[in-house]
Amino acid sequence: YKNVMSKILKEKHAPIPSHYSPFIHNLIDSLLEKDYEKRPTIQQICDRPEIIDEVIDIKTFITVRYLNWRLNIQKYIPT
């Protein structure tokens, strides 16, 4: 247990594969920062434009899927 803790605290994490964006590299690096006071808060993460854009994309995708489902099911509901 002590060896694992020591390794986590002293060694750098494995490199992030190059096919990920610079944003993902920076985000992971900041989340794995050894000094907890330097790690971003959840609010700081959520305030990042890249995260906001992704949430909007996901909400749009879900809304479109839901509306399509509603339109398709309407034809099976007797009026």
Side-chain angles (χ1 to χ4, degrees), residues 35-65:
D35 183 350
Y36 73 91
E37 291 181 349
K38 293 181 182 176
R39 286 186 219 129
T41 64
I42 190 66
Q43 187 62 54
Q44 291 169 323
I45 294 167
C46 290
D47 287 343
R48 295 284 308 258
E50 301 90 344
I51 299 293
I52 293 168
D53 290 346
E54 195 60 36
V55 169
I56 290 169
D57 287 348
I58 291 168
K59 287 172 74 177
T60 302
F61 174 78
I62 291 170
T63 302
V64 168
R65 292 291 299 246

Side-chain angles (χ1 to χ4, degrees), residues 2-14 32-35 39:
K2 287 183 181 183
N3 288 339
V4 172
M5 285 294 289
S6 177
K7 188 174 181 177
I8 289 169
L9 293 172
K10 292 180 181 176
E11 294 182 18
K12 182 149 174 56
H13 63 81
L32 296 176
E33 171 62 49
K34 305 287 185 208
D35 183 350
R39 286 186 219 129

